[in-house]
Amino acid sequence: MDQQKPELEKKLHVVLFPWLAIGHLIPFFHLSKALARKGIQISFVSTPKNLQRIPKIPRGLSSFINFVSLPLIHDENLPENAESSTDIPIEKTQYLKKAFDGLELPLTKFLENSKPDFIVHDYASYWLPKVSEKLGISCMYFAVFTASSMAFIGPPEVLMDENRILSPEDLTTSRKWIPFPSDMMYRHHEVVQYFKGAPPQEPDQDSHDHNDDKYKAVPDTRRFGVVIRDSDLVAVRSSSEFESEWLNLLNQLYKKPVIPLGFLPPLVEHQHQEEDEKNWPEIKDWLDKQRGNSVVYVALGTEAALSQEQVNELAIGLESTGLPFFWVLRKPPTGSASCSELLPFGFEDRTRGRGVVYMKWVPQVKILEHPSVGGFLTHCGYNSVIEGLAFGRVLILLPMLNDQGLIARLLAGKQVGIEIPRNELDGSFSSKSVAESVRVAMVEEEGNVFRNKAKEMTETLGNRKLNDAYVNGFVRYLEQHRI
């Protein structure tokens, strides 16, 4: 009996394998750190360039987290060195997924050699549950989405029904499996964006080769369906305080354990990157000069590139609010336009001192934590939303792609954010609608309810103790179910 004791006391070893997008890599890394703090050995597997994009491992955890680099086989349809969705236009997403599927063999070899207790993976690796079953490793799907977005897309049998061709109408109306009143649905212009990144619905049936356009892409619906159906467990980045009815619904739809992980909120003290150190003093200096809760922080994520028209309307809208703003403007993927070339003529002169437009990397968590920031104009990427609400910042919602429209509906329903009105068909918005939404959220009396409810959210999304309790629950599950 004694000989087995060291085996039982051996540290749990968990492999994490996210999809190749910053919005997935970061929450997987947050989960890695949360588990490492509990003494669990982590292997974080991704491609070389993506591992460089992740913040440095905090000093105290470096012996617990091991980065495992698997080179991506280059696909001729992708730009040179493209390893993440940030590196490509949305139309090329399927080729990145094809390259990602090429990681099956090297990952299998790594799993055979390292024999972990669990593998925690993403929706894109639909081939992984079969691999882990063959190797006798327990596998879990970690949904980096809200429980409501996951419920909206439906149960595995719906997702995997090959005779069911998704139509825009399916996505712009309420789903029949949601048993309570809900405004969880896409707007027409969001659906157009959604279909842009999706493979053709009817791939060439006679084609077996993987060349160019004949590659038979695997639709996301199938990836989600297989992963939900074949994983031992589904873990969701949410909590019952925030989405209890949606988590209950997922339990019914999936017919397997669905465990909320809490929000894995950001820890400010771990945001020490070199760029952060370089840029933070001048940003902090500007923020320090502003009144408390007066600044609108504007950042629309790493993936959506705004059109010139959208930049103009946003700029003129921010200018006409009369409020101080700090705007992180992403450079267009092609070309190296400067700030002045992108912004309306004279904009910088007219807003000098009151507004800052920044085209470099910024330490977003530190900015959101700063007491002069009152509101956050966001693309509704889930990481950003969690960061904003963890500090109680009222949100101004401008969803751009993927699940962001659904997140915007959830937040507007909870009255923690105001959605900027847009043209239903093409998604265009005016400077007037930007200015009005920002002013209501930030200063008008009718925005009181939104500001107060956003502040209350710190008790859920920013509450260290509560979020830690969710991680503890997950760790207990791992310990009890280790094979």
Side-chain angles (χ1 to χ4, degrees), residues 465-480:
K465 220 167 147 189
L466 177 69
N467 282 288
D468 199 45
Y470 277 103
V471 173
N472 287 337
F474 183 60
V475 170
R476 269 196 306 277
Y477 182 94
L478 297 179
E479 283 164 347
Q480 288 161 6

Side-chain angles (χ1 to χ4, degrees), residues 147-148 150-152 154-155 175-180 182 243-256 258:
S148 44
M150 291 303 297
F152 178 83
R175 316 308 295 269
K176 60 176 186 292
W177 51 82
I178 298 176
F180 41 81
S182 139
E243 289 189 292
S244 61
E245 71 277 36
W246 294 105
L247 286 162
N248 293 337
L249 178 57
L250 284 188
N251 267 301
Q252 293 159 31
L253 295 177
Y254 295 172
K255 304 179 179 66
K256 66 178 55 186
V258 173

Side-chain angles (χ1 to χ4, degrees), residues 129-372:
K130 281 256 182 302
V131 170
S132 58
E133 188 184 18
K134 207 164 74 197
L135 299 176
I137 301 165
S138 200
C139 88
M140 312 182 161
Y141 164 45
F142 171 29
V144 300
F145 308 94
T146 60
S148 44
S149 298
M150 291 303 297
F152 178 83
I153 65 171
E157 60 274 16
V158 169
L159 289 161
M160 293 171 64
D161 180 357
E162 284 174 18
N163 300 317
R164 179 176 160 270
I165 290 185
L166 257 189
S167 74
E169 287 66 44
D170 287 331
L171 299 176
T172 52
T173 51
S174 190
R175 316 308 295 269
K176 60 176 186 292
W177 51 82
I178 298 176
F180 41 81
S182 139
D183 47 10
M184 200 52 59
M185 61 192 80
Y186 282 106
R187 309 247 193 269
H188 181 83
H189 65 88
E190 293 165 343
V191 170
V192 174
Q193 211 45 33
Y194 174 88
F195 280 105
K196 249 191 198 173
Q201 297 251 358
E202 295 177 46
D204 180 355
Q205 297 301 327
D206 304 323
S207 153
H208 295 292
D209 65 7
H210 269 26
N211 292 334
D212 203 43
D213 292 330
K214 292 202 165 156
Y215 161 58
K216 187 176 173 182
V218 180
D220 278 356
T221 44
R222 178 160 181 77
R223 291 181 191 268
F224 273 110
V226 173
V227 155
I228 293 163
R229 183 194 66 188
D230 295 349
S231 295
D232 301 313
L233 165 95
V234 176
V236 185
R237 192 182 185 188
S238 192
S239 79
S240 48
E241 291 78 7
F242 188 64
E243 289 189 292
S244 61
E245 71 277 36
W246 294 105
L247 286 162
N248 293 337
L249 178 57
L250 284 188
N251 267 301
Q252 293 159 31
L253 295 177
Y254 295 172
K255 304 179 179 66
K256 66 178 55 186
V258 173
I259 293 189
L261 285 177
F263 297 94
L264 308 165
L267 288 167
V268 178
E269 63 271 26
H270 290 150
Q271 299 288 311
H272 294 306
Q273 280 182 286
E274 283 145 41
E275 293 167 276
D276 177 342
E277 298 310 308
K278 212 166 49 203
N279 300 340
W280 178 236
E282 65 169 327
I283 296 171
K284 182 179 184 300
D285 184 51
W286 185 83
L287 289 170
D288 285 346
K289 293 177 181 143
Q290 313 306 318
R291 280 184 307 106
N293 287 322
S294 69
V295 176
V296 189
Y297 172 61
V298 184
L300 297 167
T302 51
E303 301 211 2
L306 296 174
S307 69
Q308 188 56 61
E309 188 194 349
Q310 289 174 321
V311 171
N312 289 344
E313 296 300 326
L314 200 48
I316 294 161
L318 289 170
E319 181 184 347
S320 53
T321 60
L323 298 169
F325 61 86
F326 188 101
W327 180 7
V328 183
L329 179 59
R330 184 184 167 222
K331 282 182 183 157
T334 47
S336 54
S338 70
C339 235
S340 313
E341 290 168 297
L342 286 171
L343 295 163
F345 181 73
F347 173 82
E348 288 171 290
D349 292 332
R350 294 192 302 272
T351 58
R352 189 158 279 121
R354 171 164 76 81
V356 173
V357 182
Y358 215 77
M359 286 181 89
K360 292 178 275 193
W361 187 88
V362 303
Q364 177 161 291
V365 173
K366 285 183 170 179
I367 292 172
L368 286 166
E369 188 204 23
H370 196 283
S372 72

